[in-house]
Amino acid sequence: MSEDKFFDRLREDASRLRYVADDVLWTRLIARIRERVRSQPSVAVMLARWFRPITASFVTLAIAAALSVTWIERHESANGVEAMTSNFVEITVDGDTYNLAE
Amino acid sequence: MFGVQSEVDRTPAEIDPLEQRAIAAVKDGNAGSYDYLVSKYMKRVVSIAWGIVRNAHDAEDLAQEAFVKAFQTIGRFKPGEPFGPWIYRIVTNLALDVVKHRQRFRHEEINESLPATRGDRADLPAVVNELARRIDDAIESLPEMQRIVARLYLVEHFEHSEIAAMTALSEGTIRSHLSLARAKLRERLADLYEGRHE
């Protein structure tokens, strides 16, 4: 028998070695795949999952920045009032100097 | 476990309009249309996986993984192409990964002088015709890649080019593996084939 003929015969006989199972197994497998596929997130959900932490980070940064600016502004205005009250104002008229704080 | 499946799903992949419609629907977000593809290819996908990993549970798990992976990446699937070769390639790659993992594990854990116990004999049916059992044993005795290529060619009836695409090997390498496998199988099955089928 030639090599090719032997292999052709073997191929014919070897087809009995294919995996077969009862319908219950196939039904169960198909149901499991269906369940997994349907629980897959949609593109919108996946995008939302990506953007949610990014958005949260930006919001946190914005709040921190706003609080910082508010604190700095308050601090500066307090300093300004203090400076105004503590500094003397001198007015000179015809060579005479008058101090308003006095 | 062993049996003869219909030849319908063994013919080379042709463009199936229902299949193309199902793929388009899945791409548009209709997951329910995926059922058609799963039902059409499930049996062969499990058979391919089982032929490589030789364990029914692993084969079923691999088939599930392959279909889920295909679903997740279906956006990249080219319209007009048959789904079969794509899902076969995915499941073959997953099954080859399992085989490689087992080899690495075996290499680390077991003394190399011990014979490899690759096949899960528990998955073989109690009553299998003698010819099928002899062929199965002969194929299983081949070195790993020869065994896998021989199984895809002899049992699953894939052509050289299809096996090359599924395993990411060149067609020349597939022919070489098959040639070596053929010589060994002929020697091991000489009593069954020499003279009997002439």
Side-chain angles (χ1 to χ4, degrees):
Chain A
M1 189 192 293
S2 72
E3 288 277 313
D4 286 344
K5 207 168 184 183
F6 157 73
F7 224 36
D8 289 344
R9 292 264 161 84
L10 182 58
R11 203 180 189 200
E12 204 177 299
D13 292 335
S15 63
R16 299 175 199 203
L17 299 174
R18 286 171 197 157
Y19 185 91
V20 288
D22 56 21
D23 288 342
V24 177
L25 174 85
W26 302 126
T27 309
R28 199 182 67 219
L29 267 179
I30 290 167
R32 264 197 248 158
I33 291 168
R34 184 182 300 140
E35 194 182 322
R36 285 189 63 187
V37 158
R38 295 204 176 147
S39 66
Q40 291 291 309
S42 67
V43 176
V45 172
M46 278 174 73
L47 283 175
R49 277 185 193 170
W50 270 95
F51 279 109
R52 212 169 287 152
I54 294 169
T55 313
S57 306
F58 275 119
V59 167
T60 310
L61 276 174
I63 291 169
L67 287 173
S68 304
V69 167
T70 310
W71 183 83
I72 288 165
E73 277 176 354
R74 277 190 189 167
H75 193 71
E76 277 180 353
S77 63
N79 282 349
V81 170
E82 208 172 281
M84 280 170 73
T85 53
S86 63
N87 284 348
F88 298 112
V89 178
E90 291 179 342
I91 300 168
T92 306
V93 179
D94 291 336
D96 296 325
T97 304
Y98 301 94
N99 194 326
L100 294 181
E102 283 178 356
Chain B
M1 196 67 68
F2 295 146
V4 181
Q5 284 183 319
S6 106
E7 285 300 313
V8 177
D9 58 356
R10 300 282 162 191
T11 53
E14 288 168 8
I15 302 300
D16 169 6
L18 282 177
E19 183 178 306
Q20 294 302 312
R21 245 178 277 163
I23 292 168
V26 174
K27 280 185 175 181
D28 286 342
N30 180 3
S33 298
Y34 200 58
D35 284 0
Y36 176 80
L37 301 170
V38 175
S39 304
K40 183 175 176 183
Y41 291 103
M42 171 58 87
K43 289 182 182 177
R44 199 162 192 203
V45 166
V46 175
S47 187
I48 291 167
W50 182 77
I52 297 172
V53 300
R54 300 288 290 179
N55 176 288
H57 290 293
D58 286 350
E60 290 166 22
D61 287 346
L62 286 170
Q64 274 191 66
E65 289 307 318
F67 278 109
V68 171
K69 197 173 177 185
F71 179 82
Q72 287 168 336
T73 52
I74 204 156
R76 283 187 253 153
F77 187 76
K78 288 182 197 163
E81 294 279 319
F83 186 76
W86 192 49
I87 191 74
Y88 300 154
R89 192 163 59 240
I90 293 172
V91 76
T92 304
N93 285 332
L94 290 172
L96 288 174
D97 284 345
V98 169
V99 169
K100 279 179 206 159
H101 179 78
R102 280 184 195 164
Q103 279 175 337
R104 206 163 38 230
F105 183 75
R106 196 185 298 142
H107 190 75
E108 286 167 5
E109 298 290 323
I110 301 173
N111 187 325
E112 282 182 60
S113 62
L114 292 173
T117 51
R118 181 176 47 216
D120 185 345
R121 308 306 293 177
D123 282 340
L124 291 176
V127 182
V128 174
N129 110 12
E130 180 60 21
L131 177 67
R133 184 176 286 281
R134 284 286 310 278
I135 296 169
D136 188 62
D137 287 346
I139 293 173
E140 284 305 295
S141 70
L142 295 170
E144 201 69 78
M145 275 318 287
Q146 286 176 33
R147 174 185 79 85
I148 291 166
V149 170
R151 194 163 273 280
L152 290 172
Y153 181 79
L154 295 169
V155 180
E156 297 297 334
H157 286 196
F158 284 112
E159 295 306 325
H160 300 92
S161 58
E162 292 174 308
I163 301 170
M166 288 161 71
T167 55
L169 295 172
S170 71
E171 237 183 286
T173 307
I174 299 300
R175 284 182 195 279
S176 166
H177 280 311
L178 275 177
S179 174
L180 292 166
R182 180 170 55 197
K184 286 173 191 161
L185 291 173
R186 186 162 197 186
E187 191 189 312
R188 284 163 204 176
L189 300 170
D191 60 314
L192 290 175
Y193 286 92
E194 292 306 321
R196 212 189 83 182
H197 291 278
E198 203 63 73

